[in-house]
Amino acid sequence: MPGLSEVMERLETAGTAQNRKVYARHGAAEPMFGVSYADLGRIAKSIKTDHDLAQRLWDSGNHDARVLALRAADPAAMDEPLAGRWLGDVDNYILAEGLGGLCSQSTHARALSDAWRDSPAEWTASTGWFIVTCTAEDPDVWSVPELRGLLRQIEGEIGERPNRVRHEMNGALIVIALRDGNLRRSVLAAAGRIGPVKVDHGQTGCKTPEVAPYVERTLAHRATKAARQAERASKRKAG
């Protein structure tokens, strides 16, 4: 397994000034090397899962190292104190979504989301709601009545929550709609009442998607994928 100094050297070598400018527009702060996601993926693949290294990468304070830490960390080893400590360092949506995605794979996903969603702090609440986005289709995490409760909360609060929290709430609406047909009808009705969700994405090309069209595209994509899988299975069976 590579050590911290070796990985940091690889990150520094892979970084570019152009990427640093791009990431800064997305809220990332120095220190950072500006490593492309393609290079981060290659480095992460060579590390695989190394929870000890992930903690040391995070503690370096370097943005790229923290993004890599979120890929190298072991979800099974992410307990609530460690997740809370890392959350305290989050200062941009890249890390908020990365941490939320990691925590959503842990056994503490629901507890962490419950603890963070209602925080007045933008990055804390954003991370909590992103966990909802990652887990809303999992019946082991959320019951349908619980998701209906979240839907009511989103409709009542989304217009008043901090900027990035609105974006993550909107994303949660989309995934809640994918859970089942009844929820989907409720979400689409609520989305119609909410109207367009306004989020300031700064000097980036990012956009907050409209719920109904995004849900429709996702369902169409899933149907096409399922049809292809069924066709391949049928050909294997016939052969």
Side-chain angles (χ1 to χ4, degrees), residues 4 8 47 49-62 65-66 68-74 77-79 81-83 85-86 89 102:
L4 177 64
M8 293 298 289
I47 295 171
T49 300
D50 188 333
H51 198 68
D52 179 65
L53 176 59
Q55 292 182 77
R56 288 183 286 148
L57 285 166
W58 186 274
D59 289 342
S60 73
N62 179 279
R66 285 179 166 171
L68 182 60
L70 294 166
R71 298 189 182 198
D74 182 359
M78 284 299 296
D79 57 24
L82 179 60
R85 183 168 70 81
W86 284 15
D89 296 325
L102 173 63

Side-chain angles (χ1 to χ4, degrees), residues 10-108:
R10 291 176 66 183
L11 290 171
E12 184 172 12
T13 299
T16 68
Q18 179 59 34
N19 282 337
R20 288 194 292 276
K21 292 178 182 178
V22 171
Y23 295 162
R25 289 199 295 271
H26 287 266
E30 297 284 354
M32 65 175 160
F33 298 129
V35 183
S36 72
Y37 278 83
D39 284 327
L40 277 169
R42 282 188 282 270
I43 296 171
K45 187 176 181 179
S46 71
I47 295 171
K48 298 181 182 178
T49 300
D50 188 333
H51 198 68
D52 179 65
L53 176 59
Q55 292 182 77
R56 288 183 286 148
L57 285 166
W58 186 274
D59 289 342
S60 73
N62 179 279
H63 173 77
D64 303 281
R66 285 179 166 171
V67 173
L68 182 60
L70 294 166
R71 298 189 182 198
D74 182 359
M78 284 299 296
D79 57 24
E80 293 182 45
L82 179 60
R85 183 168 70 81
W86 284 15
L87 178 66
D89 296 325
V90 169
D91 59 1
N92 61 75
Y93 83 85
I94 301 168
L95 296 180
E97 291 190 348
L99 180 60
L102 173 63
C103 291
S104 73
Q105 301 172 61
S106 78
T107 58
H108 305 285

Side-chain angles (χ1 to χ4, degrees), residues 2 25 29 46 91 137 140 151 169 173 185 209 213 227:
R25 289 199 295 271
S46 71
D91 59 1
E137 292 188 89
D140 291 332
L151 172 57
M169 283 179 144
L173 279 178
R185 285 187 286 275

